[in-house]
Amino acid sequence: MPSDTFSTQLLDWQAQQGRKDLPWQKSATAYPVWISEIMLQQTQVNTVIPYFQRFMQRFPSVKSLAQAPLDDVLHLWSGLGYYARARNLHQTAQQVWTQHRGRFPNTLDGLTSLPGIGRSTAGAILSLGMNLRAPILDGNVKRVLCRIHGIDRWPGETETQKQLWQLAEALTPTHSFGRYNQAMMDLGALICTRTQPNCPRCPVQHVCQARQYHRTAELPIPKPTKQKPERQVYMLMLLRNQQVWLEKRTAKGIWGGLWSLPEAVSLPALKQLSQQWDVTLSKRQALTPIQHVFTHFKLHIKPYSVRLAAHAKWPSSLPEGRWYDLNCPPAIGLPAPIQILLNAVKK
């Protein structure tokens, strides 16, 4: 099928059945498109919507985001995961405000030079937020292209990525670029879903090789599976009245820049840490362990809770920390497992 026929059929379908009421579509300019695209990485639309709405209410412009403390940004991001996205978001806002006079670059190279913006995100900002021609290649689009063209390789392979970008570029029309890209995303989200795609309702089913050869359940080829390594960490919950001691993590690494409990790699190390606070750990102070799954590993958290005596000594040197008031929680960024532990001890 010629690319112009393909795009015309998709645009016709999108006009009638595509998504038009997503909150970031109400003002399709670069800033809200950028915020939504970053949030939607690795995260479902229904999860993102309330986060996006709260975020835009607090940071309605790139200036307000650039001038906000990082803690405020991380607080509103808490629960979305992949916190490097939030840190990159904050850095990009600062660069756009100070180096680009508050306006996003209108070129692919300019956008991809900013922290956290890859080629597909840049394409979305250009096409949806600036009405400039640029292809996109998010997860939905990859799935649609793999099925239509019968690509039987994992989309994450370098050569497959190259082929998919060539297809995305060739199929993007010379007009209505933003609406076409939205149509491709809508097709993947509403029709060409990961499981049980609704092929009879697909506007381009007649050119889909996966449907023709009964391979919709096979394509795209999944990522080769590897057993996730498992790690464990011991955490110390120090209680003083209705407050819990938290420490700020370094900017890089897991939960970078967020507030967490003091931790150790082993129980003996945690006991040694607790002695700095003039407390001794015992089995009865162990809380219910919890598990948190990251992209690349599983983390087993074994928390211990101790209440500090009024005369407890303070360690001579401490990392950057603060007392977290359980009754009046401060607006700071917390990893989801830490929030769960704080809620549990409050109850």
Side-chain angles (χ1 to χ4, degrees):
M1 177 191 293
S3 59
D4 56 345
T5 304
F6 178 86
S7 61
T8 297
Q9 292 181 345
L10 262 187
L11 288 168
D12 289 344
W13 170 82
Q14 202 277 335
Q16 298 178 26
Q17 301 183 42
R19 297 176 295 185
K20 304 177 185 66
D21 57 354
L22 297 173
W24 44 88
Q25 293 176 317
K26 296 178 181 178
S27 175
T29 55
Y31 180 69
V33 169
W34 167 59
I35 298 293
S36 67
E37 286 295 314
I38 299 300
M39 286 187 169
L40 286 165
Q41 294 170 2
Q42 308 290 334
T43 311
Q44 297 294 320
V45 168
N46 289 339
T47 300
V48 164
I49 287 175
Y51 279 92
F52 175 85
Q53 291 171 329
R54 290 192 293 267
F55 202 90
M56 291 299 293
Q57 184 176 9
R58 172 65 178 84
F59 308 118
S61 66
V62 70
K63 178 182 178 181
S64 60
L65 178 55
Q67 296 179 346
L70 179 58
D71 262 341
D72 288 4
V73 179
L74 291 172
H75 172 65
L76 285 179
W77 201 273
S78 293
L80 265 181
Y82 302 96
Y83 292 95
R85 296 183 297 172
R87 298 193 298 273
N88 287 333
L89 207 73
H90 192 237
Q91 292 175 17
T92 288
Q94 292 176 330
Q95 289 187 24
V96 169
W97 180 247
T98 59
Q99 300 175 22
H100 301 279
R101 300 181 179 180
R103 299 178 66 87
F104 283 85
N106 61 359
T107 65
L108 183 64
D109 288 343
L111 286 170
T112 55
S113 70
L114 297 170
I117 297 183
R119 183 177 175 183
S120 186
T121 299
I125 295 170
L126 291 170
S127 61
L128 298 171
M130 300 182 184
N131 196 31
L132 296 172
R133 186 181 183 276
I136 63 170
L137 195 63
D138 70 354
N140 283 319
V141 177
K142 289 178 182 178
R143 185 166 58 255
V144 170
L145 293 178
C146 281
R147 283 177 173 161
I148 287 177
H149 296 275
I151 298 173
D152 58 359
R153 299 187 305 277
W154 175 49
E157 292 179 359
T158 302
E159 286 303 310
T160 312
Q161 287 268 17
K162 182 178 178 181
Q163 180 183 4
L164 290 170
W165 273 115
Q166 290 172 343
L167 289 169
E169 174 66 41
L171 291 171
T172 302
T174 55
H175 62 90
S176 305
F177 341 105
R179 202 157 64 80
Y180 169 80
N181 283 339
Q182 186 65 56
M184 287 290 284
M185 291 188 287
D186 290 351
L187 187 66
L190 303 177
I191 303 295
C192 195
T193 49
R194 191 183 307 275
T195 59
Q196 299 181 330
N198 194 347
C199 296
R201 292 187 57 196
C202 178
V204 290
Q205 58 176 287
H206 50 291
V207 297
C208 179
Q209 293 188 33
R211 177 169 170 78
Q212 180 180 350
Y213 295 106
H214 308 287
R215 301 191 64 198
T216 53
E218 301 173 30
L219 300 178
I221 298 297
K223 181 179 180 179
T225 56
K226 292 182 180 179
Q227 186 171 0
K228 289 186 177 182
E230 301 192 17
R231 304 178 190 172
Q232 72 177 18
V233 65
Y234 292 81
M235 291 190 172
L236 184 62
M237 183 173 287
L238 295 159
L239 298 169
R240 185 185 70 175
N241 299 323
Q242 284 298 103
Q243 297 177 318
V244 178
W245 177 255
L246 297 182
E247 295 176 350
K248 193 166 190 178
R249 298 179 70 92
T250 58
K252 295 184 178 181
I254 299 300
W255 298 333
L258 300 182
W259 293 84
S260 185
L261 298 169
E263 64 179 57
V265 296
S266 66
L267 184 54
L270 192 73
K271 288 181 177 179
Q272 186 175 2
L273 179 63
S274 69
Q275 290 171 2
Q276 297 178 24
W277 291 84
D278 199 23
V279 294
T280 302
L281 293 185
S282 64
K283 289 183 178 179
R284 61 185 178 84
Q285 292 165 319
L287 303 177
T288 303
I290 61 175
Q291 176 180 289
H292 188 71
V293 180
F294 292 94
T295 305
H296 302 298
F297 69 95
K298 294 180 181 178
L299 181 65
H300 299 276
I301 300 174
K302 297 186 176 183
Y304 281 73
S305 173
V306 293
R307 186 167 292 279
L308 294 177
H311 61 277
K313 70 176 183 179
W314 283 59
S316 57
S317 63
L318 285 171
E320 181 181 354
R322 64 180 299 162
W323 289 102
Y324 180 94
D325 194 323
L326 295 169
N327 293 324
C328 187
I332 58 176
L334 295 170
I338 304 304
Q339 185 68 71
I340 290 171
L341 290 171
L342 292 174
N343 290 342
V345 75
K346 181 179 180 180
K347 292 178 181 178

